[in-house]
Amino acid sequence: AQSVTQLDSQVPVFEEAPVELRCNYSSSVSVYLFWYVQYPNQGLQLLLKYLSGSTLVESINGFEAEFNKSQTSFHLRKPSVHISDTAEYFCAVSGMDSSYKLIFGSGTRLLVRP
Amino acid sequence: DVKVTQSSRYLVKRTGEKVFLECVQDMDHENMFWYRQDPGLGLRLIYFSYDVKMKEKGDIPEGYSVSREKKERFSLILESASTNQTSMYLCASSLGGGDSTDTQYFGPGTRLTVL
């Protein structure tokens, strides 16, 4: 079984500042890792995912996340945030032994202020 | 683009009513999911369907049932709504084929209030 911990329920940050949203997971098997984003009044959409290979993965809008197996972490970072990045971000994990199941963290609300 | 639509954005029902939430996807996906989203709890899987008429219980199936008569449509049924089922309900779909690397595509959600 897998579990995901997002310790920060809300992260306020000023526009153009860097941000890191933390995600830690636990699993008895190897995993795939995902970050989903939920903009206000919308459903979730995939931001990026780690499946294999390079431990650093990037999204098209400047976010990146690094898979750290020894620390069982998959933190999400952006060097300079925009107002439009205000959203809720969910980390999710899927075990390689699972055909479909995604386990979601509790979410982190990123609030970007001007 | 994959489109997942849900029948209602907001719904208000009374305790004891039977409630139907409908979800439709237009990309011929095998897998469909129903989640509920509650503050501080993230998303929790209610039911999953991997084919027409096939379903599996998720983590919190109690008080819910599902129906998948056509590939593109997945319905969530609350047989007798209760106040603790007040929540945001999200439908999702994915390609399928037993691959846990699949991206899940989500609908906009239905906010259900049970009075």
Side-chain angles (χ1 to χ4, degrees), chain A residues 36 38 41 49 94 98 101, chain B residues 9 37 59 100-101 104:
Chain A
Y36 281 81
Q38 185 177 33
N41 298 314
K49 61 182 175 182
S94 177
S98 165
K101 197 168 184 178
Chain B
R9 290 302 303 271
Q37 181 182 7
D59 298 317
S100 61
T101 65
Q104 290 190 18

Side-chain angles (χ1 to χ4, degrees), chain A residues 20-105:
Chain A
E20 178 179 83
L21 307 183
R22 296 180 293 167
C23 172
N24 288 90
Y25 70 92
S26 68
S27 177
S28 55
V29 301
S30 296
V31 296
Y32 302 118
L33 292 156
F34 306 78
W35 276 99
Y36 281 81
V37 58
Q38 185 177 33
Y39 297 105
N41 298 314
Q42 294 184 29
L44 278 72
Q45 56 188 274
L46 181 71
L47 188 61
L48 48 77
K49 61 182 175 182
Y50 170 77
L51 303 180
S52 65
S54 172
T55 57
L56 185 66
V57 289
E58 298 177 355
S59 72
I60 58 172
N61 59 351
F63 282 93
E64 64 179 31
E66 185 158 21
F67 170 52
N68 188 319
K69 189 173 181 180
S70 62
Q71 296 186 8
T72 60
S73 68
F74 191 54
H75 301 330
L76 183 70
R77 301 183 184 95
K78 189 170 185 180
S80 176
V81 294
H82 303 287
I83 296 286
S84 59
D85 293 323
T86 293
E88 189 150 21
Y89 292 80
F90 292 92
C91 182
V93 63
S94 177
M96 289 188 185
D97 61 343
S98 165
S99 61
Y100 65 87
K101 197 168 184 178
L102 268 184
I103 305 297
F104 286 87

